[in-house]
Amino acid sequence: MDRAAAGGPVVTSRLTRRQRRRVSQGIQYAVFVAAVVLVAVLADWDRLRNQFAQKDLASELFPDIITVALRNTIVYTLSGFAFGLVLGMVVALMRLSSVAPYRWVASVYIELFRGLPALLIFIFVGVAVPLAFPGTEIPGGVYGKVALGLGLVAAAYMAETIRAGIQAVPRGQMEAARSLGFSHARAMVSVIVPQAFRIVIPPLTNELVLLFKDSSLVLFLGVTLSERELTKFGRDLASQTANSTPILVAGLCYLLVTIPLSLVVRRLEARTEKAR
């Protein structure tokens, strides 16, 4: 006679949902630890250290990697971001315009420059523009070309971000402004756009992080020693020394900027979500 027939307690082998979750988490942690241990055991750390972590070679990169390469990277990024923000604002307003040709032009621009790789845009700026307009120089030399190349790419994404921010502002804001005697243009500038920018600050900051990394495409424009950015600087010295330490140091310089910016994005997103 079994225990159930005898009236004794029935013992079940099924786990509760919480127990299954704990078992699943334990397995995942065990797999992660096993993977880390496996990599630590199998990797040839001496060869990696010799190729990527030569202290003497790394010290020789300073201060030029900061005063020249990092400085140029920041200048390229900020100039491209500024140009892209202005152009993106114009394209976003064209996208929302009641004039059909404006909407068509804005839509074509957005689809075109979001669909093309950034590298092709830089080649277009560096090669096609001088061929199309002989004798015409882009103001600012390489800095102007970089601002134009990065800005054209960024503006397509920023335009959609800004448009979404404008449409996220309640319609009652426009109606209230018009009832106070504001024209449509003044209401947009004074009421709608400021509120939209408070909404889109996190994604725009994230776009700044992406532009900072895309600035590495400057090397395809043919820059001088004083115009090199981090990637070009690291690649040149890695070729000269036959060692990859300069590339690693350049990568750390990127992280020196992108990690704080990413933290700022998270704080802004959290603040925006809390405000909502």
Side-chain angles (χ1 to χ4, degrees):
M1 181 182 297
D2 58 17
R3 300 186 64 180
V10 178
V11 179
T12 177
S13 60
R14 296 185 61 184
L15 299 176
T16 64
R17 181 178 300 178
R18 179 177 298 180
Q19 290 173 332
R20 290 198 301 269
R21 184 169 62 249
R22 288 179 178 177
V23 171
S24 176
Q25 290 177 347
I27 294 174
Q28 294 177 45
Y29 279 117
V31 171
F32 175 77
V33 171
V36 171
V37 172
L38 186 64
V39 170
V41 171
L42 297 180
D44 191 337
W45 295 105
D46 290 334
R47 294 184 63 183
L48 288 174
R49 184 165 49 252
N50 291 332
Q51 183 65 26
F52 289 97
Q54 291 289 340
K55 295 181 180 179
D56 295 338
L57 181 56
S59 63
E60 295 176 2
L61 303 179
F62 295 90
D64 289 348
I65 195 170
I66 301 296
T67 58
V68 176
L70 181 58
R71 178 183 63 84
N72 284 336
T73 301
I74 293 175
V75 171
Y76 293 150
T77 302
L78 294 180
S79 60
F81 183 82
F83 179 76
L85 183 61
V86 174
L87 181 59
M89 185 68 198
V90 173
V91 174
L93 294 176
M94 291 175 63
R95 188 84 162 76
L96 296 171
S97 174
S98 59
V99 181
Y102 287 168
R103 296 198 304 272
W104 298 339
V105 171
S107 298
V108 170
Y109 174 85
I110 291 171
E111 296 302 326
L112 179 64
F113 283 91
R114 285 200 308 178
L116 290 175
L119 175 59
L120 294 184
I121 304 301
F122 270 83
I123 295 175
F124 171 80
V125 170
V127 178
V129 171
L131 290 177
F133 304 97
T136 302
E137 291 289 337
I138 298 176
V142 171
Y143 293 94
K145 293 179 182 179
V146 174
L148 180 60
L150 288 177
L152 288 173
V153 176
Y157 294 93
M158 291 185 184
E160 286 294 88
T161 300
I162 295 172
R163 179 187 62 82
I166 292 175
Q167 291 180 328
V169 177
R171 292 185 178 181
Q173 297 292 317
M174 174 62 77
E175 296 172 357
R178 295 301 298 273
S179 67
L180 293 175
F182 284 62
S183 65
H184 185 273
R186 186 182 175 189
M188 286 292 293
V189 173
S190 302
V191 178
I192 304 301
V193 171
Q195 294 185 60
F197 267 93
R198 281 196 291 270
I199 296 173
V200 301
I201 282 178
L204 288 182
T205 308
N206 191 54
E207 183 64 30
L208 180 62
V209 175
L210 296 177
L211 280 182
F212 186 77
K213 294 183 291 184
D214 285 343
S215 64
S216 61
L217 297 174
V218 173
L219 62 92
F220 292 98
L221 294 177
V223 296
T224 64
L225 293 178
S226 61
E227 296 168 340
R228 291 181 298 179
E229 41 70 52
L230 284 171
T231 300
K232 176 66 173 174
F233 186 91
R235 286 187 58 183
D236 287 350
L237 292 183
S239 299
Q240 294 173 13
T241 59
N243 191 276
S244 299
T245 299
I247 295 179
L248 176 63
V249 177
L252 293 176
C253 289
Y254 276 107
L255 295 177
L256 187 65
V257 176
T258 56
I259 289 179
L261 280 177
S262 298
L263 294 177
V264 169
V265 171
R266 294 175 186 174
R267 292 289 298 272
L268 291 174
E269 289 176 345
R271 182 176 298 180
T272 301
E273 188 63 27
K274 184 178 180 180
R276 291 180 180 176

